Amino acid sequence: MLKFLALLVLSFALYSNAAVLPASKFATYTDSFARNQMLALASAAYASDPQKCLTNKFTNAQLKRQIYVKNCALLSNDVCSGYTAVLHDDKAIVISFRGTQGFLQLISEANKSVFESQMAWVSGGKVSKYFGDAFTKVWNSGMKDDFNALVAQNPGYTIWVSGHSLGGSLASLAASFIVGTKLVDSQNVKLVTFGEPRTGNKPYALAHDLQLPFTYRITHNRDVVPHIPNEGFMDYYHNKFEVFYKESMKAGASYTVCDGDEDNKCSNGLWITTSVEDHLHYFEHDISDWGEKGCN
């Protein structure tokens, strides 16, 4: 009994200390890193050949493999996709996922089945089964083997994980999964997503907060998708940290980094969040079109 109480006190202390540490204690968000590197990695996931973006935006970068999974979710013609790569000059291993038109179609149809069915997650809490199944299918279709091979071949490299829209949720799950299953140390992972919807419930969000010190959800102004589903529906809740660009995302634009999971100082404080245009465009680029054009 005493041992149990001691463990309980220790767990509470660890949780409390980790929960109140600001982002600056772990890492600092920089517009340059998100704009010039992580956006290109997220955009490349939309390309038929991600290597073009890697070649145009990085030096000594090599695609490992792009994975496609047909009929991955609720739509019979939906395709989920992601890729792995290595950036030798940056000493980084990349995991990136793309969004899909099918996901936006489901959202436009207000298809609640995307969020009503949930599944338990390895790090704690529950996530949308739609997202969980999509990640698992891509991961088990070769991404896991490719990632493990890259880690073995490049010891000490940092892991960069990114994605846009649906891809943002899959990236969030990927970062949580590789840390939760002890494939890599949490201090060695950098997660940056764009226009990410609420991925799981509040216990998942809190577990995610404790797992990853470098995790940023970038939101462009009135982007509709980060507000789907509504906060509190089936207990859905965002993890920290949100980076909010109000109106402009031009070079030099101001932004706010919010420590709270659901923080009214960022996009959660807006009255109107219905823009599809803001969802499709980040840092002055149409993410999918820019990726297909090789990030030129």
Side-chain angles (χ1 to χ4, degrees):
M1 183 64 179
L2 289 175
K3 183 181 292 186
F4 171 76
L5 289 173
L7 288 172
L8 187 63
V9 170
L10 176 61
S11 298
F12 177 78
L14 288 172
Y15 175 85
S16 299
N17 289 337
V20 300
L21 283 173
S24 60
K25 288 288 186 180
F26 293 117
T28 301
Y29 173 83
T30 65
D31 177 273
S32 177
F33 179 64
R35 181 185 299 270
N36 299 318
Q37 294 169 287
M38 296 302 270
L39 181 72
L41 298 178
S43 293
Y46 284 99
S48 54
D49 181 10
Q51 183 63 52
K52 292 180 180 179
C53 275
L54 298 177
T55 299
N56 286 331
K57 301 301 291 185
F58 302 91
T59 55
N60 200 10
Q62 182 62 53
L63 175 72
K64 178 67 173 177
R65 180 166 44 154
Q66 187 174 28
I67 304 292
Y68 290 98
V69 178
K70 294 182 179 180
N71 305 328
C72 72
L74 294 176
L75 297 178
S76 60
N77 61 345
D78 212 1
V79 176
C80 293
S81 179
Y83 71 89
T84 52
V86 60
L87 313 175
H88 287 296
D89 281 14
D90 294 288
K91 295 191 181 304
I93 293 167
V94 175
I95 305 175
S96 183
F97 298 87
R98 80 175 199 187
T100 70
Q101 290 182 338
F103 176 63
L104 289 179
Q105 179 183 333
L106 288 173
I107 294 302
S108 68
E109 294 170 352
N111 192 328
K112 291 184 179 180
S113 57
V114 172
F115 301 103
E116 285 179 340
S117 181
Q118 297 181 334
M119 59 185 284
W121 189 246
V122 62
S123 63
K126 293 182 179 180
V127 302
S128 160
K129 191 172 186 299
Y130 176 88
F131 297 148
D133 284 349
F135 163 73
T136 301
K137 289 176 181 179
V138 174
W139 184 251
N140 289 335
S141 294
M143 180 176 277
K144 173 180 66 177
D145 296 334
D146 293 345
F147 175 72
N148 287 333
L150 288 173
V151 170
Q153 293 162 7
N154 303 283
Y157 276 30
T158 303
I159 314 301
W160 293 2
V161 190
S162 191
H164 167 250
S165 193
L166 165 66
S169 285
L170 303 192
S172 178
L173 293 177
S176 173
F177 184 85
I178 62 176
V179 170
T181 56
K182 303 187 185 307
L183 294 179
V184 294
D185 186 86
S186 63
Q187 299 293 328
N188 208 33
V189 178
K190 293 185 176 183
L191 171 65
V192 177
T193 67
F194 303 87
E196 179 189 340
R198 292 185 173 98
T199 301
N201 64 7
K202 192 169 186 177
Y204 165 76
L206 296 177
H208 195 282
D209 291 345
L210 293 174
Q211 277 188 299
L212 296 158
F214 194 110
T215 172
Y216 294 102
R217 296 181 296 102
I218 301 177
T219 303
H220 178 202
N221 200 28
R222 302 186 186 279
D223 183 345
V224 60
V225 172
H227 304 278
I228 297 172
N230 292 332
E231 180 186 348
F233 173 77
M234 298 286 291
D235 199 31
Y236 277 94
Y237 204 74
H238 269 309
N239 58 270
K240 60 177 64 171
F241 300 97
E242 183 180 14
V243 183
F244 179 49
Y245 287 79
K246 189 174 183 180
E247 298 180 3
S248 175
M249 293 194 83
K250 294 180 180 179
S254 62
Y255 57 86
T256 302
V257 180
C258 286
D259 288 352
D261 295 29
E262 298 280 0
D263 198 322
N264 286 339
K265 295 191 296 294
C266 282
S267 69
N268 207 45
L270 296 175
W271 284 97
I272 300 174
T273 54
T274 58
S275 177
V276 173
E277 189 73 9
D278 287 349
H279 179 65
L280 299 177
H281 293 82
Y282 274 74
F283 295 128
E284 302 292 292
H285 292 292
D286 180 314
I287 289 188
S288 61
D289 184 61
W290 191 53
E292 192 57 58
K293 291 179 178 177
C295 300
N296 276 325

